[in-house]
Amino acid sequence: MPWSKMVSTGFEPVNAETRPSTTTQRSPNPGGQRHLPGDEGIWLFIIGDMTVFTLFFGIFLHFRTRSLELYQNSQALLNPDYGLLNTLILLASSWFVVMAVSAFRSGRERAVRNLIGLAALCGIAFSVLKYIEYQAKLAAGITPETNEFFIFYYLLTGIHFVHLLVGVGVLCYAWVKLQLRGLPAMSLEEIESGASYWHMVDLLWIVIFPLIYLMP
Amino acid sequence: MTDTHAQPEAQTMREIALSRNSVVFAVLIAITLISWLLGFAPGADSSSHADGGILLLLAFFKVRLVVIHFMEISHAPLMLRVICEGWIVISCLVLIAIYLDLIAI
């Protein structure tokens, strides 16, 4: 049995009765059965991605303790208001996505579209703030080459930003599909996969924000 | 408060908006704002290592809320739940240990 299937079925034998449905469905398994939100592939990606980022966080903190004053002084050049706003925006976007999945399971087409649209708008708002923040830094002559802290700053926030842009693309794609062909355009598994990915983008930022902007 | 996995029948928008996940969202916002106002805004007087540890603990507490509730890991296959909870605990402890210079990598 492939590893991914073992994870998704909780190491139970896969047969017709216990296999998670991959066909279009409007409601989750009743009776409290275990359910993997999204397909196995996206979860393998999420686990792998989180592992890489966590290593990155560890390496950042390791080098930080070795050049504490440099990192503290560099951190003082950041504007944490951007970071706080972006945290609130991403938390809201995850909430919208959660409600969108519930709405999908309840067959509420317009609600799904509106909530996905709101989540996408949050992602766009985050992007605008990030662009403004980067512009301000670059205009002040602060680049990835400025010092060790700013290598980490640009790398961590930049790679996260790329993940977010992919997520915004996925949300917009889902919105257009739903707009053109309604609920049948997407399966529950597709919606849940996109949702799981988006939550990952959110929770990465939940760690990155204090790590880069706030650590004393 | 509704649990979307126990109820296969359709929910109203009111039920969706007033679900447990909305409470989780409110808690996430509250933790973010309160820790900000309580002086984890940089430049505040409290700049000790303990505050850094608390910041990381709060961050991973928020991460766990997202993982367990938003990502529905509480209803996911047991192996995945074990992996996720394990990752949260180990990452949090290891990062705090590196930050406090208790271990080096």
Side-chain angles (χ1 to χ4, degrees):
Chain A
M1 190 188 297
W3 168 253
S4 59
K5 259 287 182 286
M6 291 167 93
V7 168
S8 72
T9 56
F11 277 52
E12 282 150 22
V14 175
N15 58 41
E17 285 87 53
T18 61
R19 218 172 80 183
S21 171
T22 54
T23 57
T24 304
Q25 62 182 88
R26 296 284 170 254
S27 44
N29 298 325
Q33 254 186 286
R34 303 229 145 237
H35 169 75
L36 182 75
D39 67 48
E40 295 107 6
I42 198 72
W43 275 99
L44 277 177
F45 174 81
I46 288 173
I47 290 171
D49 212 36
M50 296 303 309
T51 303
V52 171
F53 263 99
T54 309
L55 286 170
F56 220 147
F57 299 153
I59 292 169
F60 168 75
L61 284 174
H62 171 84
F63 280 97
R64 190 177 188 274
T65 46
R66 265 127 203 84
S67 315
L68 192 55
E69 213 176 303
L70 172 74
Y71 279 62
Q72 285 170 331
N73 293 337
S74 302
Q75 183 196 69
L77 297 174
L78 300 180
N79 187 344
D81 296 335
Y82 283 122
L84 176 69
L85 263 174
N86 279 336
T87 304
L88 299 173
I89 286 170
L90 278 188
L91 288 176
S93 72
S94 267
W95 181 48
F96 291 138
V97 164
V98 159
M99 290 194 288
V101 173
S102 295
F104 187 91
R105 291 180 180 142
S106 299
R108 308 193 154 275
E109 181 182 317
R110 207 179 40 174
V112 179
R113 250 199 349 262
N114 291 340
L115 288 162
I116 286 182
L118 281 170
L121 282 176
C122 286
I124 291 169
F126 183 105
S127 305
V128 169
L129 284 175
K130 188 103 307 226
Y131 174 78
I132 294 174
E133 188 185 345
Y134 281 164
Q135 274 296 97
K137 292 280 163 309
L138 294 170
I142 299 170
T143 71
E145 291 170 340
T146 297
N147 64 34
E148 194 178 275
F149 171 83
F150 281 105
I151 295 175
F152 280 108
Y153 166 77
Y154 279 106
L155 265 180
L156 273 171
T157 62
I159 295 175
H160 172 266
F161 189 32
V162 169
H163 281 73
L164 180 132
L165 289 173
V166 169
V168 171
V170 166
L171 289 171
C172 290
Y173 172 72
W175 189 92
V176 168
K177 267 183 98 171
L178 291 167
Q179 178 76 18
L180 292 177
R181 294 197 285 134
L183 279 182
M186 304 205 71
S187 68
L188 178 64
E189 194 177 68
E190 282 178 297
I191 292 278
E192 288 176 339
S193 295
S196 297
Y197 175 84
W198 188 258
H199 293 313
M200 183 197 72
V201 170
D202 179 23
L203 66 89
L204 282 174
W205 184 258
I206 287 174
V207 180
I208 290 174
F209 170 52
L211 211 63
I212 299 278
Y213 292 81
L214 303 180
M215 291 304 271
Chain B
M1 300 209 240
T2 55
D3 178 346
T4 57
H5 284 276
Q7 280 184 261
E9 64 266 14
Q11 295 178 284
T12 64
M13 275 318 296
R14 198 184 136 93
E15 284 170 330
I16 290 172
L18 296 179
S19 68
R20 184 180 55 201
N21 281 320
S22 296
V23 175
V24 170
F25 169 66
V27 169
L28 285 166
I29 296 289
I31 294 174
T32 304
L33 289 175
I34 289 172
S35 61
W36 176 265
L37 292 169
L38 275 184
F40 291 128
D45 295 331
S46 54
S47 303
S48 72
H49 268 56
D51 293 330
I54 291 171
L55 263 180
L56 281 172
L57 278 171
L58 283 175
F60 276 91
F61 180 72
K62 286 154 67 179
V63 164
R64 187 173 183 276
L65 285 177
V66 171
V67 168
I68 295 297
H69 297 290
F70 285 4
M71 294 172 105
E72 301 176 319
I73 291 303
S74 52
H75 298 283
L78 213 52
M79 176 57 44
L80 184 58
R81 174 147 198 192
V82 166
I83 290 174
C84 289
E85 298 261 38
W87 170 80
I88 289 171
V89 170
I90 293 172
S91 302
C92 187
L93 291 177
V94 169
L95 289 180
I96 289 178
I98 297 176
Y99 170 72
L100 295 176
D101 213 4
L102 299 173
I103 60 176
I105 56 172

